[in-house]
């Protein structure tokens, strides 16, 4: 169990402003997640497998399938946060936790997913329109006048917009990072949960950045053996996010 998380009492006081923490603590969150996974490996693998199957089935449904999955994802995640809480309180972690978010907090969690998707869609549309306008215009003009420099400018603009989209995706990830936990544990309204998650993530941007870099490294490693590593990384990531929530929001 990570040092900082182990120092936080089970019934710690909730701090909606968020604690400022050292960036290096991001490494201990993954350690906590792995310890939690080892304690109930079979249950966690089972929940992740079922979640992956649900994701696959919904994503092959044209049009509405991916929308439904993204709408329901915070509910699944909320249930998994409750599983993390049960482990910390030395209570049994059972498969039923995967669907625990579909009970009394389902409306708020689904609304959270809807609001986040709308924000993601709006940002993606804005970036896409500008990318098509600049990239397409430069390529078309360059082709019409035989200008390699204009065509090169178009490709450079496209690369710039890809980087811009990535930069915009970071705040969106920050906004959804703690939002399900805030809804489940503290009954925070969906919009407020997204804003609070974004605020504390920016407050601890160095820890968030290290967490994200480690995630990229672990994700690459987990994907190498036919993606089987995700059976471990998935539960570890969930536990790591729970550990980060406790360190940042509980005092």
């Amino acid at each position: 169990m990570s040092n900082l998380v182990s120092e936080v009492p089970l019934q710690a006081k909730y701090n909606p402003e968020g604690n400022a923490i050292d960036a290096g603590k991001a490494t201990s969150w993954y350690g906590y997640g792995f310890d939690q996974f080892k304690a109930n490996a079979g249950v966690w693998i089972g929940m992740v497998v079922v979640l992956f199957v649900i994701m696959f089935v919904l994503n092959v449904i044209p049009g509405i399938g991916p929308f439904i999955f993204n709408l329901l994802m915070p509910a699944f995640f909320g249930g998994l946060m409750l599983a993390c809480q049960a482990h910390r309180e030395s209570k049994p972690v059972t498969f039923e936790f995967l669907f625990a978010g579909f009970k009394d907090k389902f409306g708020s969690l689904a609304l959270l997913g809807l609001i986040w998707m709308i924000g993601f869609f709006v940002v993606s549309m804005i970036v896409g329109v500008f990318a098509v306008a600049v990239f397409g215009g430069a390529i078309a003009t360059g082709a019409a006048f035989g200008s390699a420099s204009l065509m090169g400018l178009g490709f450079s603009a496209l690369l710039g917009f890809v980087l811009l989209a990535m930069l915009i995706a970071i705040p969106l990830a920050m906004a959804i990072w703690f939002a399900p936990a805030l809804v489940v544990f503290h009954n925070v309204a969906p919009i407020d949960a997204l804003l609070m998650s974004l605020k504390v993530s920016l407050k601890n941007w160095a820890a968030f950045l290290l967490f994200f870099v480690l995630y990229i490294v672990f994700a690459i490693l987990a994907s190498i053996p036919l993606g089987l590593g995700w059976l471990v990384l998935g539960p570890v990531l969930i536990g790591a996010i729970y550990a980060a929530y406790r360190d940042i929001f509980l005092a």
Side-chain angles (χ1 to χ4, degrees), residues 13-20 112 115-116 170-205 208 244-245 248-250:
K13 184 179 179 181
Y14 168 53
N15 177 17
E17 296 299 319
N19 307 311
L112 177 64
I115 295 171
W116 186 83
I170 291 176
L172 288 171
M174 289 179 170
I176 199 66
W177 198 18
F178 298 120
L182 291 171
V183 170
V184 168
F185 295 131
H186 306 289
N187 202 29
V188 179
I191 294 179
D192 292 337
L194 290 167
L195 294 176
M196 288 170 61
S197 180
L198 176 60
K199 179 181 177 181
V200 301
S201 297
L202 291 173
K203 184 177 183 178
N204 294 284
W205 66 269
F208 182 91
Y245 148 75
I248 291 176
F249 280 101
L250 302 184

Side-chain angles (χ1 to χ4, degrees), residues 26-37:
T27 59
S28 69
W29 298 337
Y30 282 103
Y32 179 88
F34 186 68
D35 288 343
Q36 177 180 266
F37 166 74

